[in-house]
Amino acid sequence: MTIGIIVAMTKELNLLLPLMEEHAVSNIGGTEFHTGKIHGHNVVLMECGIGKVNAAIGTITLIDTFHPDLVINTGVAAGAGENVGVMDAIVATQVAHHDFWCIGEEWGRVPGCPRLFPTLTYPEAVKGANVKRGLIASGELFITSREQVDGIKKNFPEVLAIDMESAAIAQACYVRNVPFFCMRVISDTPWCHHDNSAQYENFWEDAPRQSFGLIKSLIESL
């Protein structure tokens, strides 16, 4: 089985690289792809960069070059309610664009695509006290206030986490017919914290390796 893993930032990449054996690096179109094995599976790990355009370009390049059987997106996200806290791991049951609208379409629906992109959830393999499941929404904006979260919730009241890449990755996987799994670790909670930018920076000092280790557990179960 070949598994593609996509993260947005170097900080996230560095949490996953230690899991890989037989590590090698290749450069395709200016993007580095890290290939190797995790628990016997062929793995292709890449840092796509921040934002939906970077994520879409990186995902299509990964899929068309390495032909994975599964694409995993992991990284961090903002929590979207008082029932979501820092260090919670949110497994997407669906993924949406919270900032897309085109005349004649529902909010969030890209023409030719579902409004809510499907995902795999692996309930038996990815579980724990801090694991929650629900909608993850993406947009081209770092969310910093409760007002911004409330604006997103008007269109997606069930949203648990907000990021800047996962919907683009989900859309690319949908177009290429590749199964998709998304799990985000909550780094900050703008809905209920007065300074989530400082909260976000301090999160990295907490070394959330246990949560990223859930990805290793998932791969070992496949």
Side-chain angles (χ1 to χ4, degrees):
M1 185 177 193
T2 299
I3 302 167
I5 304 178
I6 301 173
V7 298
M9 298 184 294
T10 302
K11 291 177 179 179
E12 298 163 340
L13 182 76
N14 289 338
L15 291 172
L16 290 170
L17 282 176
L19 303 179
M20 299 185 72
E21 300 175 349
E22 302 178 24
H23 181 203
V25 181
S26 58
N27 190 298
I28 301 170
T31 299
E32 283 191 344
F33 290 86
H34 301 262
T35 56
K37 291 185 179 294
I38 298 178
H39 201 70
H41 294 291
N42 295 320
V43 173
V44 183
L45 172 61
M46 69 166 293
E47 175 189 342
C48 67
I50 295 172
K52 292 196 289 184
V53 173
N54 284 329
I57 292 170
T59 305
I60 290 295
T61 303
L62 188 155
I63 291 172
D64 289 352
T65 303
F66 297 97
H67 310 290
D69 302 293
L70 169 69
V71 167
I72 294 172
N73 172 227
T74 191
V76 300
E82 61 186 5
N83 59 330
V84 180
V86 171
M87 294 297 293
D88 281 346
I90 308 301
V91 174
T93 54
Q94 294 172 310
V95 180
H97 293 282
H98 71 69
D99 63 346
F100 186 91
W101 181 76
C102 181
I103 190 168
E105 297 285 348
E106 290 181 273
W107 192 278
R109 183 190 296 275
V110 176
C113 294
R115 182 172 184 261
L116 303 176
F117 290 99
T119 62
L120 301 175
T121 61
Y122 296 109
E124 295 303 317
V126 183
K127 56 186 177 181
N130 70 324
V131 175
K132 299 176 181 179
R133 287 175 162 77
L135 176 67
I136 295 178
S138 307
E140 299 282 15
L141 188 67
F142 186 92
I143 301 300
T144 60
S145 70
R146 178 170 183 153
E147 290 73 21
Q148 288 173 309
V149 176
D150 286 342
I152 294 168
K153 280 179 166 288
K154 286 180 181 179
N155 295 303
F156 299 98
E158 68 275 32
V159 64
L160 292 185
I162 303 166
D163 65 30
M164 299 177 68
E165 297 85 25
S166 61
I169 298 171
Q171 183 176 340
C173 288
Y174 176 83
V175 169
R176 287 293 193 265
N177 196 31
V178 178
F180 177 59
F181 172 85
C182 180
M183 188 195 76
R184 293 282 182 147
V185 181
I186 299 300
S187 59
D188 56 293
T189 51
W191 196 80
C192 54
H193 197 281
H194 72 282
D195 185 6
N196 75 299
S197 59
Q199 192 183 34
Y200 172 82
E201 292 298 330
N202 292 337
F203 163 83
W204 296 103
E205 298 302 319
D206 295 333
R209 297 182 183 276
Q210 182 176 0
S211 295
F212 279 84
L214 290 169
I215 297 298
K216 180 181 179 182
S217 297
L218 168 60
I219 293 172
E220 290 175 348
S221 74
L222 296 175

